Amino acid sequence: MASTDPEHREEEENAPAEDEDTGAQIAPIVRLEEVAVSTGEEDEDPVLDLKAKLYRFDKEGNQWKERGTGSVKFLKHKVTGKVRLVMRQSKTLKICANHLIIAGMTVQEHAGNDKSCVWHATDFADEELKDELFCIRFASVENCKTFMETFQEVAESQKKQEENKDASATAEAFEKLSVEEKNKDKATGEAPAATAEANTESKEENQKEDEKKAGDSSG
């Protein structure tokens, strides 16, 4: 039944609909501040980034076990130049592979599948060093080839970097040895000179002593 009161009736007519936007702004009860999240990759530059599925070989069960599907990256440190392989699961971002690519490491195509390849590594994904045999599978042959080629290029570059360090260390050792030899020769050369000077002074003193004795005898 409609209200006969004019004022009440006017209020009902002017009342906003349930879904109508009144333009009112409600301040949040709790204000959340933005928090910077560190990924541990801030000091590294990406060399490669591909989507793939990773497996590890379970020695006890003698079978391949899936580690996760996600993005596999090669990350090069801006200061040291070292490169590591990191792979995170797509949804959880959990690390399923994390190891350095060092000189001497090799990667090869998985038997019977040109979209997959395998390699050995000392991995730290579980926050402890483990010797692992990994197998990674890509969506295309091209991505697999790109991964393998980049892997080998990085391993070769690390080998050259180690050789350069060894060469520098050898050069520094030779330079240090050369300086030590020069100092030794210099010290050896000064010693005879000092000895000769001392011998000369001793002879002069003896000669004066003999002359004095001869004078006393004649007197």
Side-chain angles (χ1 to χ4, degrees):
M1 181 176 181
S3 174
T4 57
D5 187 350
E7 292 183 0
H8 189 200
R9 187 176 180 181
E10 186 178 353
E11 289 177 0
E12 290 178 350
E13 291 176 353
N14 295 333
E18 292 183 0
D19 297 334
E20 183 180 349
D21 184 5
T22 62
Q25 295 182 355
I26 302 174
I29 299 175
V30 179
R31 187 177 297 276
L32 300 177
E33 295 183 0
E34 184 176 351
V35 179
V37 179
S38 174
T39 63
E41 302 174 7
E42 289 76 13
D43 295 329
E44 299 167 306
D45 293 323
V47 178
L48 184 73
D49 188 348
L50 295 171
K51 299 293 183 182
K53 180 177 286 188
L54 184 70
Y55 301 84
R56 61 174 287 273
F57 189 74
D58 180 20
K59 296 178 182 178
E60 295 181 358
N62 195 31
Q63 61 181 336
W64 290 101
K65 287 190 174 182
E66 183 178 338
R67 288 284 284 178
T69 300
S71 178
V72 59
K73 299 179 181 179
F74 290 160
L75 301 173
K76 184 175 183 179
H77 198 277
K78 296 177 182 178
V79 178
T80 64
K82 293 183 178 181
V83 180
R84 66 180 177 128
L85 182 152
V86 177
M87 184 168 178
R88 297 176 182 270
Q89 295 179 2
S90 296
K91 296 180 179 179
T92 63
L93 298 182
K94 180 182 178 182
I95 294 177
C96 47
N98 180 21
H99 64 78
L100 288 173
I101 299 178
I102 60 177
M105 289 183 68
T106 59
V107 59
Q108 59 187 10
E109 183 179 303
H110 188 43
N113 193 334
D114 54 3
K115 295 181 183 179
S116 302
C117 54
V118 295
W119 73 95
H120 285 274
T122 303
D123 189 65
F124 196 68
D126 296 328
E127 297 186 354
E128 62 175 325
L129 292 175
K130 293 181 181 179
D131 291 330
E132 298 280 14
L133 174 60
F134 286 118
C135 175
I136 195 166
R137 187 174 69 193
F138 297 91
S140 66
V141 176
E142 291 74 16
N143 282 356
C144 186
K145 287 183 178 179
T146 300
F147 176 87
M148 293 177 65
E149 290 172 359
T150 307
F151 193 111
Q152 291 300 150
E153 289 173 2
V154 170
E156 286 296 324
S157 68
Q158 295 303 302
K159 182 179 180 181
K160 291 179 181 179
Q161 188 174 345
E162 288 186 3
E163 289 175 351
N164 291 336
K165 285 183 180 179
D166 292 341
S168 298
T170 303
E172 289 177 4
F174 274 120
E175 184 178 356
K176 182 179 180 181
L177 182 61
S178 177
V179 171
E180 290 177 351
E181 288 293 334
K182 286 181 180 179
N183 292 337
K184 184 178 180 181
D185 293 341
K186 185 178 180 181
T188 304
E190 290 176 351
T195 303
E197 185 178 350
N199 290 337
T200 301
E201 291 177 355
S202 178
K203 287 180 181 180
E204 290 177 353
E205 290 178 359
N206 291 335
Q207 186 176 357
K208 288 180 181 179
E209 188 68 27
D210 291 341
E211 290 175 354
K212 183 178 179 182
K213 288 181 180 179
D216 294 340
S217 297
S218 60

